Amino acid sequence: RASQRRPSRIAPKEASVASALNGGDGKALRRAFGGEGFDRLLPALRELNRRGEPGPLDGVIGPPAPFLKDLRRGGLSPSALETLARCPFQFFASRVLGLAEPERPSECGEVSPAVKGEIYHAILRGFYARLEAQGFWERPDAPFPDRVLGEAEDEVFGRFTWRSLGVYPLLWEIVSDAMRGNLRRFLAWDITELRAGGLRPLLLETRLEAELPVRLPAALAGMPFQGRADRIDAGSGRFRV
C-alpha cells in the first residue's frame, strides 16, 4: 500500500496518494485528477486502504449462479483447470467476469503465437488425414512423404497471407519458411517414433468428455470434464493421447 512504503521508493503520484491518505492536502493529486475526480477518488482510496471486515468496494460477491449453471452443463477443460490452479483470481476475472484481454492476431513486427499455433494445427491435421487416406501406414518402408507435407502446407498457408495477418511481407516470408522447416523436422521424428512403437494416428482434434471419479462441491455435482485431444494414436493393442 502506498501509505506504508518508504517515501524514497515511491513515485510522485504514489507520494501524492500517500499524502492524501495520511491527512495531507493532496494538491498534486487533485491537480492530476481534477477537483471532481479527486473528491470521488479519495473516499474510495480510504475505504480500500481500511483494515478490517470487507466493505462495499472489496469485490465480495455471492455464488455466481449463472456461471455455475453453465459449468455444470459444459464442464471444465484442462486449460481452465490449469488457470484455476495457477491463479484463482485470473480464472475468476477471465472465466466468471469475462475480463480476458482480446487476442490480437498479430502486430506488424511479429506473428502472434496464437496464429502460429492455428497454422501448425491445421497443417498437421491435413497431413495426417492425407497419410491415412493414402494408406501410408500400411507401407512401413515408405520414404518420408514430402509431397504430402507440401500439399498440406500449401493449402493452409494459402489461407494466411501477409495482408490478412497485417504483417510485413518479408517478415511473413521468413516466418513461414521457418515454420515449414520446423514441421519437416518434427514430422520426420514423429513418423519414426510412431513406427517404432507400432502406432498410427487414429483420431485428430477429437472432443473428449467424461465425469471423473472425484468429489465435487454440491453446486457442481455431475459436472463433466471436457477437452479436445490434438491426436489419439492407436496400435499394438494400446492407445496414446
Side-chain angles (χ1 to χ4, degrees):
R1 301 178 182 218
S3 62
Q4 298 169 342
R5 295 171 62 182
R6 293 176 58 183
S8 61
R9 295 184 178 180
I10 62 177
K13 286 187 177 180
E14 291 179 311
S16 298
V17 174
S19 174
L21 290 173
N22 290 325
D25 59 13
K27 290 182 179 179
L29 189 64
R30 178 180 287 272
R31 286 195 301 270
F33 287 93
E36 183 179 349
F38 177 84
D39 293 337
R40 292 197 307 268
L41 176 64
L42 186 56
L45 287 173
R46 285 175 173 157
E47 171 62 24
L48 289 171
N49 203 51
R50 178 182 58 80
R51 293 182 179 275
E53 294 297 319
L57 299 182
D58 286 309
V60 178
I61 65 170
F67 174 75
L68 293 176
K69 181 179 179 181
D70 291 341
L71 206 58
R72 284 195 299 270
R73 182 175 63 251
L76 272 176
S77 66
S79 59
L81 287 172
E82 276 187 338
T83 302
L84 179 60
R86 182 178 64 251
C87 180
F89 181 75
Q90 182 184 1
F91 179 92
F92 172 74
S94 61
R95 306 275 176 163
V96 181
L97 300 183
L99 298 180
E101 295 184 7
E103 291 188 357
R104 310 180 81 179
S106 58
E107 301 287 348
C108 285
E110 64 176 352
V111 178
S112 73
V115 170
K116 290 182 181 178
E118 182 181 353
I119 293 172
Y120 277 133
H121 273 247
I123 291 174
L124 291 172
R125 186 168 57 247
F127 174 75
Y128 286 117
R130 283 175 168 84
L131 292 190
E132 183 66 29
Q134 296 176 15
F136 174 81
W137 303 106
E138 279 75 33
R139 295 177 281 116
D141 297 328
F144 185 87
D146 284 292
R147 182 181 58 80
V148 176
L149 176 57
E151 291 174 355
E153 289 175 339
D154 291 344
E155 178 183 349
V156 176
F157 279 120
R159 303 200 302 265
F160 293 86
T161 66
W162 63 270
R163 291 183 185 277
S164 65
L165 294 175
V167 298
Y168 298 117
L170 180 59
L171 171 68
W172 179 229
E173 182 179 348
I174 294 171
V175 169
S176 58
D177 284 347
M179 292 179 70
R180 289 176 187 268
N182 292 339
L183 284 163
R184 180 62 172 79
R185 287 187 294 272
F186 165 74
L187 289 170
W189 170 86
D190 191 40
I191 289 175
T192 300
E193 197 269 344
L194 284 167
R195 283 172 165 169
L199 298 171
R200 62 194 289 175
L202 178 66
L203 298 172
L204 305 169
E205 300 286 346
T206 302
R207 178 181 171 83
L208 304 175
E209 181 177 319
E211 290 188 24
L212 300 184
V214 295
R215 180 178 297 178
L216 297 173
L220 296 177
M223 181 191 71
F225 289 84
Q226 56 83 21
R228 185 173 295 277
D230 291 336
R231 195 178 83 193
I232 299 177
D233 301 332
S236 303
R238 60 194 180 96
F239 70 92
R240 179 178 64 185
V241 179

